[in-house]
Amino acid sequence: MKMIFTNEEELKSELKKGNEKALSYLMDTYHQPLCLYVYSLSNDSDSAKDIVQNIFIRFWEKRNKIDGIISIKRFLYKCCYNEFISQYRKDKKILAFEVEHVNALEELIKDENEALLKRQIELLKKEIQNLPPRCKKTFLLSKEDGLSNMEIAHKMDVTIKTVEGQITKAFKILRTKLGDQINPVLFLLFNSKKFNPNIF
């Protein structure tokens, strides 16, 4: 029979005792939401699952320190974000402008603000889809496919000036929704060297 914990203090107490049913309850409750959260950051389902699994393993191994955790939910989300950033730093050679945007992302999740970051990512995805068709295509060729303005102009059979105009138009539209945070969130959404913030 599945054990139910009515409050967090009871859950923390049983976890500290090494009650594996408490661990099962924790994983049943948070595994899927955490995987979806990390996937929203990485766009890599396998990586998201690995990160969440590692967080649960480390959490269980260090359960004797659980008294210092105010909110298990917030702690798990914060650990997942930190692990994502750690993996990103390890797996990629971060350029100077990338460091700037990764640092900006770290600012976004201070004070347990992971939910805000997730909302901004989802908002950006939605607003990109709502861009005018030609504007959207040009923007995604630049940001998602990493093409240069010249390559886009050749592919779409337009002038470079037209490409620049469409990308600038897209950026202005998106900025009205995300404000000054648009560059770090764009960088995270297209998390690779394909994203060039200097294009604007």
Side-chain angles (χ1 to χ4, degrees):
M1 182 177 178
K2 182 179 178 181
M3 184 173 288
I4 302 296
F5 296 88
T6 57
N7 64 73
E8 188 156 296
E9 290 307 313
E10 179 187 1
L11 176 60
K12 286 164 67 175
S13 175
E14 292 302 313
L15 285 167
K16 190 173 181 180
K17 291 176 185 177
N19 185 338
E20 293 187 0
K21 290 184 178 179
L23 176 62
S24 295
Y25 172 83
L26 192 72
M27 294 183 69
D28 288 343
T29 303
Y30 293 114
H31 186 272
Q32 185 176 14
L34 287 172
C35 284
L36 290 172
Y37 169 66
V38 179
Y39 177 74
S40 76
L41 302 176
S42 66
N43 290 319
D44 185 330
S45 59
D46 289 336
S47 173
K49 291 176 184 176
D50 288 343
I51 286 175
V52 173
Q53 187 65 32
N54 288 339
I55 292 303
F56 277 120
I57 290 172
R58 288 204 293 269
F59 182 87
W60 181 246
E61 290 174 345
K62 298 181 180 180
R63 61 188 181 276
N64 60 318
K65 298 180 180 179
I66 200 171
D67 289 337
I69 298 173
I70 297 175
S71 166
I72 292 178
K73 178 180 179 179
R74 290 179 180 175
F75 179 79
L76 290 173
Y77 273 85
K78 189 68 169 285
C79 286
C80 284
Y81 175 82
N82 290 339
E83 181 69 10
F84 163 74
I85 290 294
S86 176
Q87 289 294 323
Y88 186 87
R89 291 183 186 275
K90 184 169 63 176
D91 294 343
K92 297 178 180 288
K93 293 179 180 179
I94 300 182
L95 302 178
F97 76 78
E98 292 178 313
V99 171
E100 175 187 345
H101 294 307
V102 169
N103 289 339
L105 289 168
E106 290 173 340
E107 288 295 319
L108 285 178
I109 57 97
K110 280 186 176 179
D111 301 322
E112 313 298 346
N113 215 11
E114 298 93 341
L116 172 60
L117 177 59
K118 185 176 181 180
R119 286 198 300 272
Q120 288 178 320
I121 291 171
E122 292 306 314
L123 176 60
L124 178 59
K125 288 179 179 179
K126 177 182 176 182
E127 294 305 324
I128 288 174
Q129 293 304 312
N130 289 337
L131 289 171
R134 183 173 291 272
C135 189
K136 172 185 169 183
K137 182 177 180 180
T138 306
F139 186 79
L140 289 177
L141 284 173
S142 172
K143 302 306 177 194
E144 191 169 55
D145 295 347
L147 300 184
S148 68
N149 286 359
M150 185 177 293
E151 289 172 325
I152 297 171
H154 178 73
K155 186 178 183 69
M156 297 183 67
D157 194 24
V158 296
T159 66
I160 292 178
K161 186 174 181 179
T162 297
V163 172
E164 292 172 348
Q166 291 290 343
I167 294 176
T168 299
K169 178 180 177 181
F171 185 72
K172 287 180 178 178
I173 293 172
L174 297 174
R175 181 179 283 280
T176 63
K177 301 295 182 180
L178 281 92
D180 293 337
Q181 298 294 352
I182 186 170
N183 272 348
V185 179
L186 273 172
F187 171 71
L188 184 53
L189 181 58
F190 303 120
N191 56 0
S192 74
K193 296 183 181 67
K194 293 176 182 176
F195 174 51
N196 179 7
N198 299 318
I199 196 166
F200 303 110

